[in-house]
Amino acid sequence: MRVAVALLSLSAVAFGFTYSDHAPLIPLVSADFRLDDLGAGLLSTALFISYMATTFVTTGLAERVGPKRMVGMGLAVSAAGTVVFAASPTYAVALAAKAIQGIGSALAFVAAARYLAGLYGERRNHFALGLYGAGFPLGSAIALVAMPPLAAALGGWRGAFWIEAAFVGIATALWWSVPAVPPVARPGNIRDALRCPNCWWTSLQHAAGFGLAIASGTWITVYLLREFHLPLELSGLLGSLLLVLAVLARPLGGLLLARERVPTRRVMRIGDLAIVAGVVLLGFPDRPLAVALGGAILVGIGVGLPYSAVFNTAAASLPGAPGAAQGLAAVGGTAAVMVGAPMMGFAVQTFGFWAAWLFVGAVSLVALIGTTFMRGEEELT
């Protein structure tokens, strides 16, 4: 069981890497393709719009063909998308490559949650789900740190993407060694999730969590580069703090829930408040670097802590179709990235970074208000 959870978490690292692989290399990719900030932000949009569309039509597929097979398919498709990006001759091909990566991640995301449900049966899987969830920001953080020096060592950003493709390919090969779990047929589908009010509230929470993590992670390196005039490599290293804290916070939130120390809605509220406080520090005028890094740390904690709370609450909200409910929650995070990354780019380009952080804080504040109207997992079971 531990090996299966470890390899599932490794697959999440691979997917998380694809989410932010281009972010620390925006200056290099933009120079090659002659992009402005909005165009660079659309690379994330391409990935997540395909992720969202694929999620809507495949949420029940894992329960028919088996979650192990779906995760393996997702990894293979993501590896193919990374290869296409490395070889892309034009911006249009690069956008298509990011879309392929998004399709791969969508095939695997809900399937991985259903894999854990089958692996643990009636036992509480909150901590394992938190470890799996931690893989996404960990992969994105590694991308922020690793891609600039890889690009420098290999003569450009394309070489860095070839190394990434090899890593995702290795994760794909390792995944097939885990045991299969039986698919569990459910009578519901995504249409039932769309009619479930509590499912929509969990979707909003994931928008304030995962969505803001990736959108903020996309721009944090550029923020540090421009606002504090740091070298690209150092900006990527310091910017990864946001995602590293999300890595630590996701299993911590799962552990608190597994031991029944804190109820799910309170965990969500703590996360939302931490994001709001963090963006105040990031956007404060003339703040020193230490204050900005403190803000990034708070945002990282805030986006990570509620992960297990959100997805187990989603599943409990619709017992007849837990995969569809978790898929809808995932779509909320996806929509936030799809809109958030280019919106932050537009805000930076038009007004400055203070406006970009204001957008992040506004989404978190709406999610915090939403916890008043939703029910947590323990209130549903």
Side-chain angles (χ1 to χ4, degrees):
M1 181 179 291
R2 291 180 179 177
V3 172
V5 173
L7 290 179
L8 190 66
S9 299
L10 179 64
S11 75
V13 172
F15 291 126
F17 207 110
T18 67
Y19 296 167
S20 294
D21 49 12
H22 66 285
L25 301 180
I26 282 176
L28 304 181
V29 175
S30 296
D32 238 15
F33 293 134
R34 298 180 181 179
L35 307 179
D36 58 15
D37 289 337
L38 181 59
L42 287 174
L43 289 169
S44 291
T45 302
L47 189 152
F48 289 108
I49 195 169
S50 69
Y51 178 108
M52 184 166 65
T54 304
T55 298
F56 270 119
V57 299
T58 64
T59 53
L61 199 56
E63 293 167 342
R64 294 196 295 272
V65 305
K68 174 184 173 179
R69 187 179 301 173
M70 286 291 293
V71 174
M73 289 169 53
L75 283 165
V77 172
S78 287
T82 307
V83 168
V84 173
F85 196 96
S88 57
T90 64
Y91 175 57
V93 175
L95 285 174
K98 297 304 291 183
I100 294 169
Q101 288 179 326
I103 291 169
S105 183
L107 290 174
F109 186 82
V110 172
R114 303 324 303 153
Y115 181 86
L116 286 175
L119 192 66
Y120 276 76
E122 297 299 319
R123 289 170 294 171
R124 292 175 70 82
N125 67 357
H126 295 73
F127 183 57
L129 184 60
L131 287 174
Y132 165 67
F136 291 96
L138 176 59
S140 294
I142 293 172
L144 292 180
V145 174
M147 292 301 268
L150 282 173
L154 297 171
W157 61 267
R158 294 181 188 276
F161 275 88
W162 284 116
I163 296 297
E164 178 193 351
F167 164 63
V168 181
I170 291 169
T172 306
L174 290 173
W175 171 250
W176 292 106
S177 66
V178 305
V181 298
V184 180
R186 302 286 186 178
N189 53 43
I190 192 65
R191 291 188 296 275
D192 297 302
L194 292 172
R195 292 191 293 265
C196 168
N198 216 63
C199 299
W200 281 104
W201 290 122
T202 63
S203 186
L204 175 61
Q205 285 299 319
H206 196 48
F210 168 80
L212 296 186
I214 301 302
S216 299
T218 298
W219 287 103
I220 189 70
T221 296
V222 181
Y223 165 77
L224 294 171
L225 181 73
R226 294 183 184 174
E227 295 286 304
F228 299 99
H229 309 291
L230 302 176
L232 179 61
E233 290 82 359
L234 181 58
S235 297
L237 178 63
L238 293 177
S240 69
L241 283 173
L242 188 156
L243 296 172
V244 167
L245 266 296
V247 171
L248 299 176
R250 282 188 170 186
L252 175 60
L255 186 62
L256 291 173
L257 292 169
R259 295 185 175 180
E260 301 182 358
R261 299 288 178 85
V262 185
T264 50
R265 283 202 296 166
R266 188 177 301 169
V267 170
M268 296 178 203
R269 285 169 177 161
I270 292 171
D272 295 335
L273 284 169
I275 298 170
V276 171
V279 298
V280 168
L281 297 182
L282 285 164
F284 198 79
D286 300 320
R287 69 342 243 152
L289 177 61
V291 171
L293 293 178
I297 288 170
L298 282 173
V299 172
I301 293 171
V303 299
L305 201 65
Y307 183 85
S308 293
V310 168
F311 279 94
N312 280 302
T313 296
S317 299
L318 195 62
Q326 290 174 325
L328 184 60
V331 164
T334 304
V337 180
M338 186 180 70
V339 175
M343 277 292 293
M344 290 183 73
F346 177 77
V348 170
Q349 187 172 292
T350 308
F351 303 106
F353 270 103
W354 67 268
W357 297 123
L358 179 63
F359 168 78
V360 172
V363 175
S364 299
L365 191 59
V366 172
L368 176 64
I369 295 169
T371 60
T372 305
F373 303 99
M374 70 183 299
R375 289 183 292 167
E377 180 192 11
E378 50 281 303
E379 301 169 84
L380 295 160
T381 56

